[in-house]
Amino acid sequence: MSNFHAVRVSDIIRETPDCVSIGFGIPKNLAKEFEYKAGQHVIVRKILGDEDVRRTYSFCSAPSSGHRRIAVRHVEGGAFSTFANTKLKVGDTLEISTPIGEFTLPTDARTSSNYVAFAVGSGITPIMAMIREVLTREPNSHFFLYYGNRDAEHTIFAEQLAHMKNLHMERFSYQFFMTRQVVDIPFFNGRITGDKASILHQNVFSKINIDEYYLCGPLSMIDGVREALVNAGETAENIHSELFFAGADSERANKRSALDGLAKSKVTVISDGRKIEVDYRDEHGSILEATLKSGIDVSFACKGGVCATCRAKVTEGKVDMALNYGLEPEEIEAGFVLTCQSIPLTKTVTISFDE
Ligand SMILES: Cc1cc2nc3c(=O)[nH]c(=O)nc-3n(C[C@H](O)[C@H](O)[C@H](O)COP(=O)(O)OP(=O)(O)OC[C@H]3O[C@@H](n4cnc5c(N)ncnc54)[C@H](O)[C@@H]3O)c2cc1C
Ligand code: FES
């Protein structure tokens, strides 16, 4: 189960017309629990209407700054991002989980590393934490950022990036790609693509020894750039990525019918050391929904197969997972599934959230 704490919103900054950044005032007694690594995120929980809304947001602040700050870009029709951009006020309380996530850049003051990041839109948030942390904590390291947006007005942290470049001319550089505003150099017009990443690799990255690559943005950018880098000879283990949203596919699990699995099944859920029997019916759509409907408070956030918060291990029976953008192949091999994307394939299934 996620470990939530009620924390006060200490300040809100309007970063762009469609994005606010939110500072949290973490009480001293929780400071240790809220220590984080650059790139990690929290689950924010808010009851909106009668819905228990939980969404994941990456810290954009540097861990060493002592601040805990997220940035939320408004998504059309989005439950939490609309609330955060229009109604949330300084002094309000939000429930947030302790920091989680494997998309991290661990720093070491003795190293002199070269980092490259590709970010699109709100994908800049974890990257921002990484840039800040590297520039502060690794005096001999360099950071190269490639950042895609529709135009200058909607570019989150544009001024802060310019400020950081002024302070660290030799160690930090960035290039903006724009889809709806013409920029001086034609190469930077339009989206970040695998082809552009190949050209950058040939002309820039191959001439420097790049230690780690970080990608955060839409699936098409992540897949395209990753493939280009691997084809150019980069090691897959040095290319790290985080996806915020999987697109229309992510709703697939909830639309599956009984034809995909069984109309009924007995699911034994192990959570916090307890064993509880859950009656799964096909209208539940996923094992996660059946579990939540039966009143068991297990961890979840995106319900879209992306964040892996709903990960659990199948210890008996079989399930079918509609899609997966959150689990590594080794985890699947070990029997883990995303419960928000899984339905039972056998009359009994046992699934453990405690592994
Ligand atoms: C690990 C992780 C870290 C994240 N960090 C950040 C962050 O730092 N800043 C940030 O702004 N967001 C971040 N997100 C995305 C965030 O968790 C929410 O998905 C997003 O804010 C939309 O939530 P909502 O409640 O407003 O929309 P919902 O009510 O969930 O969705 C409303 C509609 O918008 C669609 N939709 C949902 N998300 C997106 C999206 N990102 N782009 C386009 N359409 C979408 C849905 O399919 C739905 O139709 C992160 C996600 C993950 C998995
Ligand atoms: S809740 Fe995010 S992957 Fe299942």
Side-chain angles (χ1 to χ4, degrees), residues 253 256 260-262 264-269 278 280 285-288 290-291 310-324 327 331-353:
R256 285 194 291 172
D260 296 315
L262 291 178
K264 284 181 182 173
S265 176
K266 282 259 180 258
V267 180
T268 306
V269 172
V278 170
Y280 172 89
S286 69
I287 292 176
L288 176 70
T291 307
C310 66
R311 185 186 102 129
K313 190 172 184 176
V314 180
T315 57
E316 180 259 313
K318 278 195 174 158
V319 310
D320 178 51
M321 182 162 59
L323 65 79
N324 162 41
L327 294 177
E331 293 174 285
I332 295 173
E333 189 74 17
F336 286 97
V337 293
L338 300 174
T339 53
C340 73
Q341 297 295 313
S342 298
I343 55 172
L345 287 183
T346 45
K347 282 192 175 148
T348 61
V349 168
T350 303
I351 196 149
S352 171
F353 286 85

Side-chain angles (χ1 to χ4, degrees), residues 140 183 205 210 254 278 284 352:
N140 301 314
V183 290
F205 311 154
I210 303 294
N254 296 332
V278 170
H284 287 133
S352 171

Side-chain angles (χ1 to χ4, degrees), residues 36-40 58-65 103-108 113-149 155-176 212-216:
Y36 62 101
K37 297 187 191 115
Q40 283 194 306
S58 312
F59 283 122
C60 54
S61 44
S64 56
S65 69
F103 181 63
T104 56
L105 190 161
T107 49
D108 176 352
S113 299
N114 291 320
Y115 304 103
V116 165
F118 286 88
V120 172
S122 56
I124 191 65
T125 49
I127 304 294
M128 197 69 184
M130 293 175 183
I131 299 170
R132 287 177 159 139
E133 195 68 351
V134 165
L135 295 179
T136 315
R137 306 262 306 158
E138 292 188 356
N140 301 314
S141 293
H142 294 75
F143 210 113
F144 305 87
L145 168 69
Y146 298 88
Y147 181 19
N149 280 286
T155 300
I156 309 170
F157 302 133
E159 274 180 28
Q160 294 172 44
L161 289 168
H163 179 65
M164 289 198 293
K165 186 165 173 168
N166 280 340
L167 287 180
H168 304 279
M169 284 274 185
E170 247 112 80
R171 299 198 295 122
F172 176 50
S173 71
Y174 65 87
Q175 293 290 345
F176 290 148
E212 310 284 340
Y213 291 88
Y214 290 89
L215 322 177
C216 192

Side-chain angles (χ1 to χ4, degrees), residues 130-263:
M130 293 175 183
I131 299 170
R132 287 177 159 139
E133 195 68 351
V134 165
L135 295 179
T136 315
R137 306 262 306 158
E138 292 188 356
N140 301 314
S141 293
H142 294 75
F143 210 113
F144 305 87
L145 168 69
Y146 298 88
Y147 181 19
N149 280 286
R150 86 177 95 142
D151 55 31
E153 195 190 8
H154 293 88
T155 300
I156 309 170
F157 302 133
E159 274 180 28
Q160 294 172 44
L161 289 168
H163 179 65
M164 289 198 293
K165 186 165 173 168
N166 280 340
L167 287 180
H168 304 279
M169 284 274 185
E170 247 112 80
R171 299 198 295 122
F172 176 50
S173 71
Y174 65 87
Q175 293 290 345
F176 290 148
F177 288 74
M178 301 277 175
T179 53
R180 293 199 211 152
Q181 181 178 326
V182 178
V183 290
D184 293 343
I185 305 170
F187 181 79
F188 297 109
N189 279 317
R191 289 177 198 285
I192 298 175
T193 61
D195 287 348
K196 287 182 183 170
S198 299
I199 294 168
L200 284 170
H201 193 280
Q202 205 179 339
N203 294 289
V204 187
F205 311 154
S206 64
K207 309 227 172 350
I208 321 160
N209 182 24
I210 303 294
D211 296 279
E212 310 284 340
Y213 291 88
Y214 290 89
L215 322 177
C216 192
L219 194 57
S220 55
M221 184 282 274
I222 291 178
D223 283 352
V225 172
R226 178 191 294 281
E227 196 186 337
L229 294 175
V230 169
N231 288 343
E234 295 294 342
T235 318
E237 286 76 51
N238 297 340
I239 307 169
H240 314 272
S241 62
E242 179 122 282
L243 182 67
F244 280 4
F245 172 63
D249 272 1
S250 64
E251 276 142 31
R252 209 162 74 200
N254 296 332
K255 295 204 173 83
R256 285 194 291 172
S257 70
L259 291 176
D260 296 315
L262 291 178

